[in-house]
């Protein structure tokens, strides 16, 4: 049991049609729920920390909580920086002991993205840490109106091949129609599988990463709304579409929004039904259980990763 890189996890996943779940963590209950789920499913696990998570929980707390999770569970876990925006934050996380960092240079021009990514790769590899980069821009809901405008932001397969060759990056996040948050599509959900297959064909040895992979399940949105929430018109990527993507080189699937919805639904329900309670443990415990149930469901039914540890 240790903090591990994603190298072996991805090498194994690349040969098969399952993906490793990468779940965002922000506090103890979320970490416990996810880790207990991975243990119950005997699945490989990536815990990822965003800049927002570092700001909220503070890095030292998150590091120690993940170390505690490893001791408590006996699992190997990869600790990953999600959407590092520049070299400095990636360096900081490498120095702190993360085993994997993402440099998200997707907002930059192609050449600049290569330069920034290369710099992070050089530093991270020298310290035994692996790197994920991103090419193409995740579509926002406003881009959904115009299919041409939207596909202009998708990852170009030939560029992906050139990018990987020039940067030496370990894995690549691609844009094929997903986006972050609870509002992914206005009309019919759509993922560009042909583009994904082409990318996978050109760089078959590079593990691909799917961000924005939450499905925004109606049951949980409805439960939030039934207990005082106001989340109208939310829509995610149907789970069978994520499952399909794992067949074409997607080795890492990022899920955050679905965990937020699951936890919030249960916390709202508890508080609404128990107005006299004010012990945070009373409502955080069902929130933590909801995270565990959601992660087990994802690992088993969406990522196909049960017993792949
Ligand atoms: O990609 C975004 C993740 O869901 C993290 O979100 O930046 O609010 O922590 P956050
Ligand atoms: P969701 O918002 O779809 O959960 O995506 C999370 C993500 O991509 C984190 O990097
Ligand atoms: Zn993301």
């Amino acid at each position: 049991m240790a903090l591990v890189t994603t190298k072996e996890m991805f090498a194994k996943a690349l040969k098969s049609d399952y993906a490793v779940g990468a779940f965002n963590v922000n506090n103890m209950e979320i970490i416990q729920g996810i880790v207990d789920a991975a243990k119950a499913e005997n699945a490989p696990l990536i815990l990822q920390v965003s800049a927002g998570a570092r700001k909220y929980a503070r890095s030292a707390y998150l590091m120690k909580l993940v170390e505690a999770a490893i001791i408590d569970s006996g699992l190997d876990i990869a600790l990953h920086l999600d959407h590092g925006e520049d070299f400095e934050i990636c360096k900081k996380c490498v120095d702190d002991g993360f085993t994997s960092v993402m440099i998200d240079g997707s907002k930059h021009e192609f050449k600049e993205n290569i330069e920034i990514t290369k710099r992070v790769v050089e530093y991270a590899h020298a310290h035994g840490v692996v790197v994920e980069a991103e090419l193409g821009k995740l579509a926002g809901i406003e881009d959904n109106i115009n299919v041409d405008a939207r596909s202009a932001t998708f990852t170009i397969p030939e560029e992906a091949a050139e990018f990987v060759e020039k940067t030496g990056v370990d894995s690549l996040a691609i844009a094929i129609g997903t986006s972050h948050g609870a509002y992914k599509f206005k009309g019919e959900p759509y993922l560009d599988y042909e583009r994904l297959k082409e990318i996978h064909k050109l760089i078959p040895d590079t593990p691909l990463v799917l961000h924005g992979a939450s499905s925004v399940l109606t049951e949980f949105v409805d439960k939030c709304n039934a207990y005082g929430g106001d989340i109208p018109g939310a829509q995610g990527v149907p789970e069978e579409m994520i499952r399909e993507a794992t067949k074409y080189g997607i080795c890492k699937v990022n899920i955050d929004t679905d965990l937020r919805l699951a936890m919030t639904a249960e916390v709202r329900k508890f508080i609404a039904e128990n107005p006299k309670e004010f012990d945070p443990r009373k409502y955080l415990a069902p929130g933590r259980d909801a995270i565990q149930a959601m992660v087990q469901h994802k690992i088993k039914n969406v990522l196909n990763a049960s017993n792949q540890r």
Side-chain angles (χ1 to χ4, degrees):
M1 58 177 189
L3 268 184
V4 295
T5 74
T6 50
K7 250 190 175 32
E8 276 179 34
M9 293 181 195
F10 287 167
K12 207 170 156 243
L14 203 50
K15 287 192 220 129
S16 189
D17 65 347
Y18 73 90
V20 182
F23 303 100
N24 287 72
V25 299
N26 294 279
N27 67 13
M28 184 189 77
E29 285 77 9
I30 296 174
I31 292 174
Q32 288 178 335
I34 296 168
V35 173
D36 289 353
K39 184 165 176 145
E41 292 300 325
N42 194 28
L45 178 63
I46 300 168
L47 295 179
Q48 56 188 11
V49 171
S50 70
R54 289 176 86 240
K55 194 167 167 211
Y56 172 76
R58 303 202 285 270
S59 202
Y61 281 86
L62 290 174
M63 289 294 308
K64 291 296 171 193
L65 284 170
V66 173
E67 281 172 26
I70 289 169
I71 292 168
D72 183 61
S73 67
L75 295 183
D76 287 342
I77 296 175
L79 179 58
H80 174 75
L81 168 67
D82 192 25
H83 294 284
E85 71 162 0
D86 53 29
F87 175 80
E88 281 65 36
I89 189 172
C90 292
K91 178 180 183 301
K92 179 85 181 68
C93 288
V94 169
D95 296 346
D96 280 354
F98 280 53
T99 55
S100 172
V101 291
M102 175 188 191
I103 172 69
D104 181 356
S106 62
K107 66 172 187 276
H108 299 291
E109 291 301 317
F110 183 62
K111 276 199 174 130
E112 207 179 329
N113 191 354
I114 289 179
E115 288 316 309
I116 297 168
T117 301
K118 234 168 105 174
R119 191 166 167 226
V120 172
V121 167
E122 271 162 26
Y123 188 80
H125 283 184
H127 293 79
V129 171
V130 292
V131 180
E132 172 185 328
E134 179 166 321
L135 193 60
K137 292 183 180 67
L138 295 206
I141 194 160
E142 67 280 6
D143 306 317
N144 207 10
I145 305 156
N146 182 335
V147 172
D148 287 344
R150 200 165 156 236
S151 59
T153 64
F154 287 176
T155 309
I156 297 164
E158 293 72 23
E159 282 192 357
E162 186 183 341
F163 186 91
V164 167
E165 207 221 306
K166 288 193 168 150
T167 58
V169 78
D170 301 279
S171 60
L172 186 68
I174 50 151
I176 55 165
T178 60
S179 62
H180 292 112
Y183 299 91
K184 300 189 193 297
F185 304 101
K186 266 186 187 154
E188 277 299 296
Y190 168 77
L191 292 190
D192 193 341
Y193 292 112
E194 289 315 309
R195 188 178 298 265
L196 173 60
K197 287 178 194 168
E198 187 60 22
I199 296 168
H200 184 44
K201 200 170 99 190
L202 292 179
I203 43 172
D205 299 329
T206 302
L208 302 176
V209 180
L210 195 62
H211 282 246
S214 280
S215 296
V216 191
L217 302 164
T218 315
E219 178 192 338
F220 296 87
V221 176
D222 288 352
K223 202 183 255 185
C224 284
N225 290 337
Y227 292 102
D230 184 16
I231 319 170
Q235 200 189 351
V237 188
E239 293 191 325
E240 57 278 13
M241 291 178 74
I242 302 294
R243 176 78 186 247
E244 181 71 11
T246 67
K247 296 177 186 164
Y248 315 117
I250 295 291
C251 293
K252 172 174 179 271
V253 169
N254 285 13
I255 298 174
D256 187 5
T257 299
D258 281 343
L259 308 192
R260 294 178 180 194
L261 288 168
M263 186 172 203
T264 302
E266 285 311 314
V267 171
R268 277 193 177 283
K269 180 172 185 284
F270 183 89
I271 290 174
E273 288 177 347
N274 300 275
K276 290 191 192 307
E277 290 288 356
F278 53 88
D279 178 346
R281 293 171 298 187
K282 292 274 170 60
Y283 53 83
L284 289 174
R288 177 175 59 191
D289 291 347
I291 295 259
Q292 179 174 349
M294 177 62 79
V295 173
Q296 281 194 238
H297 161 69
K298 294 290 177 182
I299 288 172
K300 200 170 160 178
N301 304 318
V302 183
L303 307 177
N304 194 23
S306 300
N307 299 313
Q308 296 291 357
R309 194 157 67 86

